[in-house]
Structures are given as structure tokens and as C-alpha cells.
Amino acid sequence: MSIEVRQVHKQFGNFTALNNINLDIKAGELVALLGPSGCGKTTLLRIIAGLETPDTGSILFNGDDVSRRDVRKRNVGFVFQHYALFRHMTVFDNVAFGLRMKSRRERPSEAVIAEKVQELLRMVQLDWLSDRYPEQLSGGQRQRIALARALAVEPQILLLDEPFGALDAKVRKELRRWLANLHEDINLTSVFVTHDQEEAMEVADRIVVMNKGVIEQIGTPAEVYENPASDFVYHFLGDSNRLKVADQDIQFRPHEVLLSQVAVTDHQPGIVRDIRPLGAITRVTLKVEGQDEPIEAEVPRDDVNLQGLTRGATLFFKPKAS
Amino acid sequence: MSTTSHQNSRNAPSWARLALIIAAWATFIVFLVLPLAIVLIEALKMGVAHFFESMLEADAISALKLTLLAVAISVPLNLVFGVAAAWCVSKHDFYGKSVLITLIDLPFSVSPIIAGLVYVLLFGAQGFFGEWLIEHDIQIIFAVPGIVLATLFVTVPFVARELIPLMQQQGTQEEEAARLLGASGWQMFWHVTVPNIKWGLMYGVVLCTARAMGEFGAVSVVSGHIRGFTNTLPLHVEILYNEYNHVAAFSVASLLLILALIMLLLKQWSESRINRQLNNGDE
Amino acid sequence: MSRRSSPVIPGFGLTLGYTLVYLSLLVFLPLAGMFIYAAQLSWSEFYAIVSAPRVVAALKLSFGTAFIAALLNGVIGTLFAWVLVRYRFPGRKVIDAMIDLPFALPTAVAGIALTALYAPNGFVGRFAADLGITIAYTPFGITLALTFVTLPFVVRTIQPVLADIPRELEEAATCLGARPLQVFWNILLPALLPAWLTGFALAFARGVGEYGSVIFIAGNMPGKTEILPLLIMVKLDQYDYVGATAIGVMMLVVSFVLLLLINLLQRYVAKG
């Protein structure tokens, strides 16, 4: 199901959370709303879900205006940042909740419910936990149960609020891949909110970069990274260096640097302050004459210029782009 | 909670710790245990038979019935009020909310005598509605309705003030999740909200019941002390005591004491359940 | 976590409406009625009633004993809260559970029990009498009863705050060379003061209005051991509704002014 956001505006007192937002999401897409905290991304997600009403503007699902439609009738699956699992219910009852809330005419029999719940729990690989209570689960397990619960009512749209925010780094990586795979399998229109650019780049088909209540740029991960529409997007999507040349500032990313141990034309000297091996790449920090801000260069760990390099040595560098 | 070794390593001088613990125990015995003991001692002064005789005397039984009636009316009403008040205050935001929270507690800072007085001024013979009530032959003051009203007044805040912090802490996410999964308002309330607050509710009900059972001042003003008719248990204790029928007074008092101890046990139990629930809620 | 009202949480109008109607019918309108009733008095009539020597004596007695009882509770309550939170010792759970007894016990029962203990021929009073001290039927006895019924307030308001004070604070102070008493005065007391004042205010307000536990032990001598709530009772028994109302209004107003002052003091303290 496609989602259209039309001229949505939302104000909280004096604070403009969303300023005239327009956004099209195609059916089956996996879209990330990316931005710093307070940029309005969660508000936008809650408005799409129907948990919040926009002051003006409308939300369309498959071309139908759902702005006035009750949250129950929107058929949206929502995964909360802190999961909001019902703490007094078992995992099974949590997942079955949506099915049991249906009116008597639509409600499947308990046997059908049980079958469906088990199927979902198998899908999230947690069928062995069905009798546990949320408090007995790890963060990653809770996350997957919350997802199973949202999927149980067969939503047309899946919305996730900071789905990996509360997890530790390793579990977060695993779940990210798992979610991307799951999306490929069930191909449900999905929108997730995140403040982590790496997460957005890794999982999403398209990224919506937001700042201070407006959309800065919409595009595929490659587009927003290669052709940032604004300074904000450029800085938010990755580390960057700033180099003073004449009276101008040149900006470039740490991997966009050519290095040389000997003086070459166009290359500028810098004194090595720090050498950090970070796995596949190594980061070299350089102090440049005439500016306080250091320059960071990231090169493959087997780069020839790293051989025999020590702190205090002089290294010559040049931004690739310029 | 901190570990035992930590408890012992902290607050270095052990003599000070010992002194404080002994002081607390001594105060506890003099202040709380002695009054308890004296009630039972005085009640049993003339033997067990006499004790039961005083408790089962007709006026005592009718006082017990009236007390139970006041409890049976005021507790459910204040329960419904408490849930409604806590719901609008903790799950919604609106202008003047903190003022409302303060006003809910108002009956706690009003003397029970004044609580009784205001109803006498409304419904008593010289009161605002006095003449009208007499014309229509309705009696509120010096009758059961007055006792119920006075009890209601002094017990209004109990359930609400237990639920408000609990529900504020729980937030609205589980309710939102229930709505997104297709639950109607009432389904959400019964399946998600009520299970989450049931121990808090229980706690509030216990406190409310204890107070409703034992209220003296407010009820005293509106009762008229008509024996066997408008006498609650605490008022009956006063009458017996003023008639120098000490053994009977203490016998009835010990009945109230036992009820109070039961309430204390229930309170302790529901409190431990709330704590367990809250601890489980956070990660 | 955001606590904004969300349009999917229903029942706002219903519950707010019910809350306001219920509170108005049961509490606000009756209390307003008392003020309207008092308004039939002119200022001079009102002043004549509340400045009568018997009323003034009762006023001083009620507020004085309630104040001292609340102060006493400030000390005893802090002791209990401290011991219960900081130490593990035999019987801790029993004491913790029984602290609330004065709230659960009907005040009339507390009243006759304390009288039986502290009357000159009573269990404890006998020994005090030998020493020439009279407890019951004096302001001392009233203070004792008030201290008993308001005991849980200070304990229960301080307890959670004390438990939440991060122990790093004290450890940091100790590392900087503070002795235990210095830690208590400079670190713990300031942190506890707002809660302590809340407990004090609650105990004080309850003490001023308390009736049941006091009238048995007070002796109720006009001008000497007659408390304000009892004086209202006496006026009502004489069908002097106007007099009772005037005293009631004065008592409410004085209580609220004092509570407001405590509240302001508390804000001042909390700001540091």
C-alpha cells in the first residue's frame, strides 16, 4: 500500500514539529526517516499511524484520505521504541491480542489464533518463548515479539519507531540484517525512524533526511551520500574534514583523501598525531599548519603509505574531490 | 538494593548504628506496640466470655452493620471516582491539570469536623435545604445518608492519589499499542489498563476502607448519636467509654483493631505486588 | 518518554467531567456553602466570635500542639526512615509494616488506648504521676495523641527520597574528607529537606484538624485543653451554627495560609 503525506503541519505550543511536509512512499518500499532528535521524525511517524493528528494537511493510503480515519481502521502495524509489550500477558497472549480484539463476526476461533500465533513466533524464531512474560526476555527478543504482535493483524503498512535504538551494538547489527531480509520476504510497505545514519544506509531503500521539522532531502542511500542537497545532509551522513585553502573552506570525507609519504605537487604537508587501526581501515589524524581543526584520513589497512609510519612524521595529503 | 557488605561498610561507626537501631525499636514499642497491647489487655480484663458478650451485644451489631454500609457505599463510589480522576490526569494533558491534582487532595487538609459541619449547614434543620427537606420529610442529618456523605467526603482522595503516580509512570504506550491492534476504548481499558493498575487499585481500596471504617469526627457531627440507629462502631466505642463501660468499649475497640491489622496486612501485600510490577516494568 | 495526549486515548471528556462533577458536589460546593453561610455575618460580628478568649485559647492550643507534634514527628520520622532504609536488622520488616498502623487504626480506638496508657492511673501514667508529671488531660497529652496519629507522614515521605539518594554522593563526600556527621548535615539533609517539609506539612494539617484521638486524652477544659475542632462540636451541640461556621472558616483559612507558607518555603529550599 502506498503512503502519501500532503502538506502536513504540526505545532506543539510555540514549537513547530513539522513544517509543511510532503512525502510519497511507494507500495512495498522500506523507507527510513533519518534525523537528529527533535527533528520531527517520530511525530511524522505517529501522524501516519494515527497516534497524532496533524494541525493541517492529510495522509493518503493508496490514494484514500485516511486523515479522519480511526486508528483501529487504518490497518497499520506499529512497533514502539520501547516495544510497549503488555507486561501482564505472556508472549503468546501479546501476539494474539490483536486477533482477539476483533468483533465476534471477524474473530477467528482460538484454534486458528493459536496456529497463526505459532506461525508468527516461528517466523521471528522465538516460538520456544511463547509462555514467557516480557520481563523474562532480552531486548532483542522483546523487539522481535513486538514485531510479531504488529504483524499478527496483517497490516498493510508497518511503522517502526527507533526499532534498534534500545539495543546494544551487536544485537542491533544482527536485527538490522534480519529486518531487511524479513522485509524482502513479506514485502510490506515499511517506514522506520532512526537517528543513526549507518542504520538508515544499511537497511532502507530510500532515506528521508529531516531537520527542524522540514525534509532536507529524499533519495536512495547512494544519492543522499554522494549528492547531499545541503550542508546539513552532508554533515549528518558522515564524518567530514574542513580545510582552509586561501580564504575558502573545502569539505571532504575522511576516505576522500590521497596520501603520500614524500612531497608531491598539489599535496599539502601535515604532522601525524594519531594512527588508529579500525579493522578494515586505519584512521590517520593530521595536524595542518594554519588551522586548529585536525584532518582525518581513512585508508585501507594495507595502504602503502602506512608502512613504517609513526607519530610525529610528516605526511602529504590531498582531497580527492578537488 | 545495595548488598549486605555494602550496608555494613557504610556509615562507619557501628556504635552509632546500634544506638539508632535501639532507639527505633524503643520508640516503636512505646509508641505503637503499647497502645495495641493495652486495647487487648483492657478488653480481656473480665475474661473472654465477657469480651465476646460485649462484641455481640445488639447495639454493637447494629453499629457494625452501619459501619459496613458506609464502607459498602463510599468505597465503590470513590473507587470509580479515583479511576476516572487518575485517567484524565495521568493519560491526558490539559490546562490546569496540576491545580486539579492539588484539589483532589483537598479533603485531606480539611478537618473531619468541618467535613461534617458543611453537610449540617446544607441539610440540617437550619441549613440551606433544611426547610425543604423537612417539608418533604427527608432526613439526611442525624440519619444514615448524612453518615454516608460525611464518610464519602473524608475518603474522596484515597484511590485517586494511589493511582495517579502509578499511571503517570506507566505512560500511554501500552494503551496506544492496544488501540493500534484494533482494541476499542473499553477493550483497551479492561484488557490493558486494569491489569496494569490492579494492585494500585487494591492498595487504594484498602486505605479507603480503613479510613471509612474508622472515621470518627465527621461522622460524629452528622450522626446525632442515636443508639442502635445512627451509631457506627467508632461512635459506639465513644458512647460505651463515656458511660464508663470500659471493658465493652475496649472489646468493640479491639474488633476495630483487628480489622485495622487485617487492612495493614492487605496493604503490605498489595504494596509488594506494586513494587514487583514496577520493577519488572523497567529494564 | 513523551506524555503528550494522544488522540487515540479515549475518555478524556467523560473522566474529566465526572471528576469535576463528583468533586464539586461532594467537596467544593459544600465547602463554598460554609463560606456563604459565614457571609451572613458582618466583619465585626465575625471578629467578635473568633476573638473570644475561649476561641483564641483553642486556636493557640490546636495550632501549637499540632506544630510541636509535627516537629516531634520530624525527628522520630527521620529516625525511622533512616533506620529502615539504611540498616538491615532483626524486625525491620515488622516495623516497616506497622509504621502505618496509626493510619489504619480508627482514631477513637487510638484515643481510648492512649488515655488508658497515660491517664494518672494508667499503665504508664502511673509512673509519670509518681514523678509528678501529668500527661493525660494536659496539652502534653494532646501533643502525644497528635504525634501518634500523624507518625507515618514524615516516615513515608522521606523513605523513598532517602532510598533514591545515590550513594556516590556520600562516597564522593567521604573521599573529599567529610566525616559521617558532616556528610549527614551537608549532603543528606539538604537533599531530604523538601520531602521532610512535605511530611511536616501533612502532619501539621492533619494534627490541626484531628478530633477522635484527642478528645479522650485532652480532658476538654474550656480555655485550657479544648481544641478547635471540639469547640466547633460544642457550638453545634448548642445549635450555634453561626458560631461553629465562623470558627470553621477561620480554621480553614489559617490552615491554608500556613500550608501555603510551608509550600513556598519548600520551593525556596528545593531551589537551593
Side-chain angles (χ1 to χ4, degrees), chain C residues 3-269:
Chain C
R3 291 263 162 65
R4 291 193 298 260
S5 341
S6 120
V8 303
I9 304 292
F12 175 63
L14 179 74
T15 52
L16 181 66
Y18 184 77
T19 303
L20 289 177
V21 168
Y22 189 87
L23 274 180
S24 301
L25 287 180
L26 216 54
V27 181
F28 302 155
L29 293 179
L31 278 176
M34 182 174 75
F35 282 87
I36 294 168
Y37 200 91
Q40 58 183 282
L41 287 167
S42 69
W43 273 112
S44 55
E45 286 170 313
F46 180 81
Y47 184 75
I49 295 174
V50 298
S51 64
R54 187 173 170 186
V55 178
V56 173
L59 179 85
K60 282 183 188 161
L61 181 70
S62 274
F63 282 90
T65 50
F67 187 82
I68 295 171
L71 271 185
L72 271 176
N73 267 329
V75 179
I76 301 175
T78 310
L79 169 72
F80 274 122
W82 177 266
V83 168
L84 289 175
V85 170
R86 289 304 171 98
Y87 305 141
R88 298 289 170 273
F89 58 96
R92 192 185 75 94
K93 285 224 160 106
V94 179
I95 295 186
D96 196 15
M98 290 287 281
I99 285 287
D100 283 324
L101 178 75
F103 283 171
L105 192 69
T107 50
V109 177
I112 63 170
L114 291 174
T115 312
L117 279 177
Y118 295 103
N121 58 350
F123 213 70
V124 177
R126 204 176 304 160
F127 302 105
D130 288 345
L131 298 170
I133 305 168
T134 337
I135 301 174
Y137 315 129
T138 66
F140 188 46
I142 298 173
T143 310
L144 191 78
L146 291 181
T147 312
F148 176 84
V149 292
T150 57
L151 179 72
F153 282 116
V154 175
V155 187
R156 291 307 186 214
T157 43
I158 289 191
Q159 232 177 344
V161 181
L162 190 58
D164 276 351
I165 293 179
R167 72 178 109 117
E168 285 86 350
L169 268 185
E170 285 163 72
E171 287 169 351
T174 311
C175 289
L176 294 168
R179 279 173 290 112
L181 263 180
Q182 286 177 313
V183 172
F184 184 80
W185 280 109
N186 295 314
I187 308 293
L188 294 173
L189 221 54
L192 286 180
L193 205 52
W196 191 90
L197 279 172
T198 305
F200 177 88
L202 288 168
F204 178 68
R206 172 77 195 268
V208 169
E210 178 56 25
Y211 176 73
S213 60
V214 176
I215 55 160
F216 297 98
I217 204 168
N220 307 329
M221 295 257 299
K224 286 207 178 70
T225 55
E226 187 180 52
I227 54 168
L228 266 183
L230 179 69
L231 194 53
I232 296 177
M233 243 350 224
V234 170
K235 298 259 179 203
L236 277 176
D237 280 343
Q238 297 163 349
Y239 294 98
D240 180 6
Y241 284 19
V242 178
T245 307
I247 299 172
V249 165
M250 176 199 60
M251 190 172 155
L252 260 191
V253 170
V254 175
S255 295
F256 283 145
V257 168
L258 286 174
L259 286 179
L260 194 73
L261 285 178
I262 295 175
N263 210 313
L264 289 176
L265 180 66
Q266 193 179 17
R267 274 181 204 191
Y268 174 76
V269 168

Side-chain angles (χ1 to χ4, degrees), chain A residues 267-279:
Chain A
H267 281 53
Q268 204 176 328
I271 295 163
V272 176
R273 276 290 163 82
D274 191 32
I275 305 164
R276 290 270 142 199
L278 301 170

